[in-house]
Amino acid sequence: AAVTLHIATLGILFAVFSQINHLNEASLDSDMETRLRQGSKTRDPRLVNSWAAAQVETSNNFAAQSWFWHILSNGLNHQIEHHLFPGLNHAHLHHVAPVVRETCAE
């Protein structure tokens, strides 16, 4: 019973955190189909077909500076970095976050 409760709780937490990061207006308006349809009308033409730009625009970080949320969400609070570097262990995502922010600012 304890194992089932543990797995169910983790499953619910994963569902909540992944939905927060993907199902919001900013992310839904930036999917690849919309990006290609709008073309360079609203975006830098160099970024319209960019896989990396799409990953940044269609996912969101939350409470990125919080260790509490990092532990509770198992690193899902760094969703942008997770999408850019899917093979990187979630414990290291906060290390690449400043570089990702700086690159996006450019």
Side-chain angles (χ1 to χ4, degrees):
V3 172
T4 303
L5 179 62
H6 176 72
I7 292 170
T9 303
L10 291 178
I12 290 169
L13 284 174
F14 175 77
V16 167
F17 290 125
S18 63
Q19 298 311 303
I20 288 170
N21 291 330
H22 293 289
L23 297 180
N24 56 67
E25 283 188 45
S27 294
L28 295 173
D29 289 342
S30 297
D31 69 301
M32 281 306 285
E33 185 178 310
T34 303
R35 293 166 63 82
L36 294 172
R37 187 175 57 249
Q38 291 176 343
S40 58
K41 288 184 266 183
T42 58
R43 288 181 173 75
D44 182 325
R46 297 170 296 172
L47 301 178
V48 170
N49 292 311
S50 170
W51 171 85
Q55 299 309 305
V56 171
E57 290 182 12
T58 59
S59 52
N60 296 286
N61 289 351
F62 69 94
Q65 307 303 326
S66 170
W67 281 103
F68 171 79
W69 286 109
H70 181 75
I71 291 168
L72 185 64
S73 71
N74 202 25
L76 289 176
N77 60 328
H78 287 282
Q79 197 68 22
I80 292 172
E81 291 79 10
H82 166 70
H83 277 256
L84 291 172
F85 307 102
L88 186 62
N89 185 292
H90 72 275
H92 303 293
L93 293 174
H94 68 281
H95 294 296
V96 298
V99 176
V100 170
R101 264 192 307 278
E102 290 170 13
T103 303
C104 290
E106 288 178 11

